[in-house]
Amino acid sequence: MESSQLNNIATTKYTKQHSNFIQYGTAGFRTKANLLEHVMYRMGLLAVLRSKVKKAAIGLMITASHNIESDNGVKLIDPAGEMLEASWEQIATTLANVDDSELSSTVQKILQEQNVDMSINATVITGRDTRESGSSLLQAAIAGIEALNGTVNNFGIVTTPQLHYLVVCINTNGSYGDPTISGYYVKLTEAFKRIRQSEINNQQYVAELSLDAANGVGAIAAKEFQSNLGMALKINIHNDGNGELNHMCGADYVKVQQAPPANFPVKTNDRCVSVDGDADRIIYFYLDENNKFHMMDGDRIATLIAQYFKELLQESNLSFQLGLIQTAYANGGSTNYISNVLQIPVECVSTGIKHLHKKALEFDIGVYFEANGHGTVLFKDTVIQAIKNATTNPQLSATEKSAASKLMNIIDVINQTVGDAFSDMLLVETILHAKGWSIIDWEGSYKDLPNRQLKVKIADKNTITTADAGRRCVTPAGLQEKIDKVVSRYSKGRSFVRPSGTEDVVRVYAECEDENELKQLTIDVALLVYKLAGGVGPEPKLA
């Protein structure tokens, strides 16, 4: 690479304005938006280098998902729609934090160590969520891409799953789907409607739901989905962008607070859905006759999907290895149901979609979900071809071919590239419709253990380190032993702590059999973290 071009990238207006260290974490970089301009520029540079190494288009998404409006972030998307390769996370962190005087030499070092061929063309596909800061941050990223002569394919305001979809479509020359936003909507909704035509509706299922769009990009997507779905599914949209992003609304709020979002009218036993700020998470919920809150989180969604796939595989007489992947946040009730009742293999991995996605790839059909509602289903190419062949196999019965056809249509409803709130919503609605279930019927399949989450602010969240897929605390020394002692006092008690990958806090998870004892268990563990790991501010408490 010519020294003049290296000097050019270092003389940008997007210079480093602060000394805050920022780390590429579970979902890329994420912090206060006013700290990110130089980071965006440098990620534009890195995306070009990554594109040249992979000889394919790379995605660059600007979002802070469920974080507050004043935050923002950026993550790179690899060619198959997956998260950035782990070895490049450290490269990204280094590049984001070097002084301006070292930017050129750092880029030169990446070129050498990664054997980057600068003669190869590079394409970066960009998108952002609805945050006000997104526009200027996107321009900084585009400046970085263009500084290394990369081609920008900008899709503007999109959901995170849409950008993942577009990356895969463009890199597969459209074989996965039409590489346009309209192509995304058409693929998912047409498959959804095809399945509906072959199913007889049951009176327990009503083709209508209420959606909390978190005042984010999900509101835009929901309106487009409604336009494409027509009478197949009515979506009543609330928190549609007129309020503050993620403020007392969105999937993360509903999951953690275990309460309906604000500005969201709820009728008794109505099926309700909440998505997060970039529409990659989904939570179902309802209020019963006593105004009690009931939640169907990622665990519930995963078990519903896995059970339905097992049934269709049995009906079609197809034999594939089906597996379900969870994290430590999975409710003990769901794990017991999957293993002992459904008898489907279940694996537990560290928190973070990249870990679930990787493990799911080991199965013929891998269902993965975090309890927060982020997840999808992966199919091996050989499985898809075998199902397709079964739909026209004259040796199979009409029932077997019908089940295979349902599987083929369901595959088109699913966004396999990443967790997608709207794709998952259509999948859940397909299954509830097929079973003739209300949301109450769905909940009745098994009983969750009461559980709570609490965030604890400490001076340095990295003080907490964990092992065993995040279920055991390694440091600070002695904390896990004290947690074990507290948990032992509660029937079916379980609790773990881990540093958040997206926020500057430590998360505490707790569950036990007695709902009345749960609050005390959660507080007891949170106070241990606060006292032994350097808590700051007021002591933790539950609302």
Side-chain angles (χ1 to χ4, degrees):
M1 184 173 179
E2 295 181 4
S3 58
S4 59
Q5 191 173 4
L6 278 177
N7 290 333
N8 179 53
I9 68 171
T11 55
T12 173
K13 69 175 183 178
Y14 297 111
T15 55
K16 190 177 179 185
Q17 300 293 318
H18 60 84
S19 59
N20 301 56
F21 180 81
I22 179 169
Q23 185 171 348
Y24 198 103
T26 304
F29 293 110
R30 194 174 294 181
T31 187
K32 297 300 178 188
N34 60 4
L35 302 177
L36 282 169
E37 202 169 66
H38 79 280
V39 175
M40 295 295 174
Y41 173 77
R42 295 175 184 197
M43 288 307 99
L45 299 174
L46 190 65
V48 170
L49 301 182
R50 183 67 176 163
S51 177
K52 291 176 182 292
V53 167
K54 299 301 289 184
K55 300 177 182 177
I58 294 295
L60 187 153
M61 182 68 194
I62 298 174
T63 181
S65 187
H66 60 275
N67 285 38
I68 58 176
E69 169 74 33
S70 58
D71 287 352
N72 217 322
V74 59
K75 67 174 182 176
L76 301 186
I77 301 167
D78 266 352
E82 72 274 44
M83 301 296 187
L84 179 66
E85 183 181 315
S87 64
W88 278 65
E89 292 180 4
Q90 185 54 54
I91 296 173
T93 298
T94 300
L95 186 62
N97 288 286
V98 296
D99 290 337
D100 294 323
S101 61
E102 300 174 25
L103 180 58
S104 294
S105 61
T106 302
V107 170
Q108 186 66 57
K109 185 179 179 182
I110 297 170
L111 290 174
Q112 294 170 350
E113 291 181 347
Q114 300 300 322
N115 297 314
V116 182
D117 183 350
M118 290 302 291
S119 68
I120 294 174
N121 293 329
T123 299
V124 182
I125 303 164
T126 60
R128 68 178 182 92
D129 68 18
T130 56
R131 294 166 201 270
E132 188 176 347
S133 60
S135 179
S136 61
L137 293 178
L138 176 60
Q139 291 310 308
I142 289 174
I145 297 165
E146 293 179 340
L148 286 179
N149 299 320
T151 298
V152 179
N153 194 346
N154 181 30
F155 283 89
I157 295 176
V158 291
T159 70
T160 294
Q162 285 172 344
L163 196 72
H164 281 257
Y165 166 89
L166 291 164
V167 169
V168 175
C169 290
I170 288 170
N171 282 323
T172 57
N173 296 315
S175 64
Y176 182 71
D178 179 16
T180 64
I181 293 299
S182 62
Y184 163 87
Y185 289 116
V186 169
K187 179 182 179 181
L188 272 60
T189 57
E190 289 303 308
F192 176 80
K193 288 187 286 188
R194 283 197 301 272
I195 301 170
R196 290 275 165 141
Q197 292 170 0
S198 66
E199 295 283 359
I200 299 173
N201 197 0
N202 184 295
Q203 289 185 347
Q204 294 300 106
Y205 175 85
V206 178
E208 181 177 358
L209 56 79
S210 294
L211 173 79
D212 160 34
N215 288 313
V217 66
I220 299 171
K223 292 168 186 174
E224 288 296 323
F225 270 107
Q226 182 64 90
S227 176
N228 281 269
L229 288 167
M231 297 299 293
L233 180 66
K234 183 179 180 183
I235 306 172
N236 302 309
I237 307 169
H238 306 282
N239 292 317
D240 61 357
N242 291 314
E244 185 178 347
L245 177 67
N246 293 324
H247 179 63
M248 297 183 69
C249 61
D252 188 64
Y253 175 86
V254 172
K255 171 63 177 173
V256 174
Q257 299 300 322
Q258 298 193 28
N263 305 311
F264 190 92
V266 184
K267 295 180 182 179
T268 300
N269 296 333
D270 268 8
R271 199 165 65 258
C272 303
V273 172
S274 184
V275 304
D276 65 336
D278 66 337
D280 62 1
R281 296 184 184 184
I282 183 170
I283 296 290
Y284 273 77
F285 64 93
Y286 75 96
L287 292 181
D288 66 18
E289 294 84 352
N290 299 315
N291 213 36
K292 182 180 178 181
F293 177 81
H294 297 255
M295 177 170 59
M296 268 51 69
D297 61 7
D299 298 335
R300 290 267 177 195
I301 295 170
T303 54
L304 179 74
I305 293 169
Q307 179 180 13
Y308 189 58
F309 272 112
K310 183 175 181 178
E311 292 168 356
L312 285 182
L313 288 173
Q314 289 172 338
E315 287 179 23
S316 60
N317 204 24
L318 293 169
S319 180
F320 299 118
Q321 187 186 27
L322 173 66
L324 197 150
I325 322 301
Q326 296 183 319
T327 72
Y329 284 107
N331 191 281
S334 73
T335 307
N336 177 68
Y337 179 70
I338 297 160
S339 300
N340 299 324
V341 179
L342 298 182
Q343 296 185 331
I344 295 172
V346 59
E347 299 278 352
C348 182
V349 298
S350 298
T351 298
I353 285 299
K354 61 185 177 184
H355 302 299
L356 289 106
H357 194 95
K358 181 179 180 181
K359 178 60 71 171
L361 287 169
E362 296 179 10
F363 292 90
D364 291 335
I365 302 175
V367 181
Y368 74 79
F369 269 84
E370 291 187 296
N372 63 26
H374 193 166
T376 189
V377 187
L378 304 181
F379 303 84
K380 288 184 176 177
D381 290 341
T382 52
V383 170
I384 296 174
Q385 187 59 51
I387 295 171
K388 185 177 181 180
N389 292 342
T391 63
T392 57
N393 187 342
Q395 295 181 335
L396 298 182
S397 69
T399 299
E400 289 170 334
K401 287 192 286 187
S402 175
S405 294
K406 289 176 189 176
L407 281 168
M408 278 305 300
N409 282 322
I410 284 175
I411 289 170
D412 280 341
V413 169
I414 296 168
N415 184 351
Q416 293 187 61
T417 65
V418 74
D420 182 334
F422 288 100
S423 167
D424 292 337
M425 181 186 79
L426 294 182
L427 179 54
V428 169
E429 294 299 312
T430 294
I431 299 170
L432 295 180
H433 179 268
K435 288 181 170 293
W437 279 3
S438 68
I439 195 167
I440 300 170
D441 296 324
W442 175 16
E443 185 185 31
S445 56
Y446 70 88
K447 185 176 181 180
D448 267 332
L449 289 172
N451 63 94
R452 292 297 295 265
Q453 287 189 51
L454 188 59
K455 299 175 185 178
V456 181
K457 182 77 173 176
I458 63 175
D460 179 7
K461 69 177 182 179
N462 295 315
T463 300
I464 301 285
T465 61
T466 64
D468 188 22
R471 291 177 287 191
R472 304 287 295 176
C473 185
V474 177
T475 62
L479 177 55
Q480 186 60 55
E481 288 76 10
K482 291 183 181 297
I483 292 173
D484 290 342
K485 188 174 181 180
V486 167
V487 168
S488 68
R489 300 199 296 262
Y490 298 87
S491 176
K492 296 185 180 179
R494 184 170 73 95
S495 183
F496 66 89
V497 302
R498 58 174 288 274
S500 170
T502 57
E503 298 177 70
D504 194 22
V505 296
V506 173
R507 296 181 184 270
V508 173
Y509 176 89
E511 65 180 37
C512 66
E513 189 170 35
D514 190 335
E515 190 166 4
N516 296 322
E517 295 180 343
L518 179 61
K519 182 175 181 179
Q520 191 60 52
L521 169 58
T522 310
I523 288 294
D524 286 347
V525 175
L527 286 173
L528 286 175
V529 174
Y530 183 86
K531 292 173 182 177
L532 297 181
V536 295
E539 289 189 350
K541 62 176 66 176
L542 285 169

